[in-house]
Structure formats: structure tokens, C-alpha cells
Amino acid sequence: MILGFLGVDALSAGSIAWLSRGLTALVGLFVATLAYRGFKRNDAPKMRLLALGIGLLTTGVFLTVTIANFAGTDTGGILIARGVVTVAGLCAVLLALLNQ
């Protein structure tokens, strides 16, 4: 029923993957926004680092991959860019957890 209504092209593997990555980015941006609001309300630098890390791990990776893909970067370049953003996000989360 859905295939007939939307058409087979609307549910290709690439479009489903892109939509799921976009949904992950939106939810991650929402969580990062909540963490940033917690930073502003309580003046807690750890929350700012946590917001940055979550934002990079979700929305940052999505935007990096999307921009690199539209720029015509090869698969290796996209993986390197994604890896750099992921490591930066994980470092921010680590600093948020370890910083006293």
C-alpha cells in the first residue's frame, strides 16, 4: 500500500538511510540544545562541553557528511572528515565528564 502510494523510488535504501541520519541529527540537536540550556541556567561549563560533544556527534557528523557528499568528495575523504568530527565530539564529551 505504501509502495503504491509513494512510489518505489521514494523508499530506496539511500533515501531511508538519509532520512534516518537526518532524524538522528534532529534528535541530537534537540538534546544538545537542552544541555546548552542547562549550561546557561546553572552556569556549568561541563554542560557546555556536553552540548558541544553531543552536537558534534549527531548534527555535526550529519552536516559534515552531507556537505562532503555534495562537494563530490570521494568515500575516503568523507570517512576521514566523519572520523575527525566524531573524535572531536568524543573528546568534548570526555572533557565534560573528566573536567572538575
Side-chain angles (χ1 to χ4, degrees):
M1 181 172 162
I2 294 175
L3 292 176
F5 179 70
L6 295 175
V8 177
D9 292 335
L11 295 177
S12 68
S15 64
I16 291 172
W18 190 86
L19 286 173
S20 68
R21 288 190 306 258
L23 181 62
T24 302
L26 284 175
V27 171
L29 184 62
F30 176 70
V31 172
T33 302
L34 290 178
Y36 186 75
R37 286 177 52 197
F39 155 70
K40 294 294 268 187
R41 182 180 12 199
N42 300 321
D43 195 27
K46 288 182 177 188
M47 294 297 285
R48 181 178 49 199
L49 280 172
L50 184 63
L52 176 66
I54 291 172
L56 284 174
L57 286 171
T58 56
T59 308
V61 169
F62 175 74
L63 290 175
T64 301
V65 170
T66 302
I67 291 169
N69 195 18
F70 282 134
T73 308
D74 62 339
T75 305
I78 291 174
L79 288 175
I80 289 172
R82 179 182 177 156
V84 167
V85 173
T86 300
V87 168
L90 288 173
C91 287
V93 170
L94 179 66
L95 286 173
L97 294 175
L98 296 179
N99 193 8
Q100 298 191 25

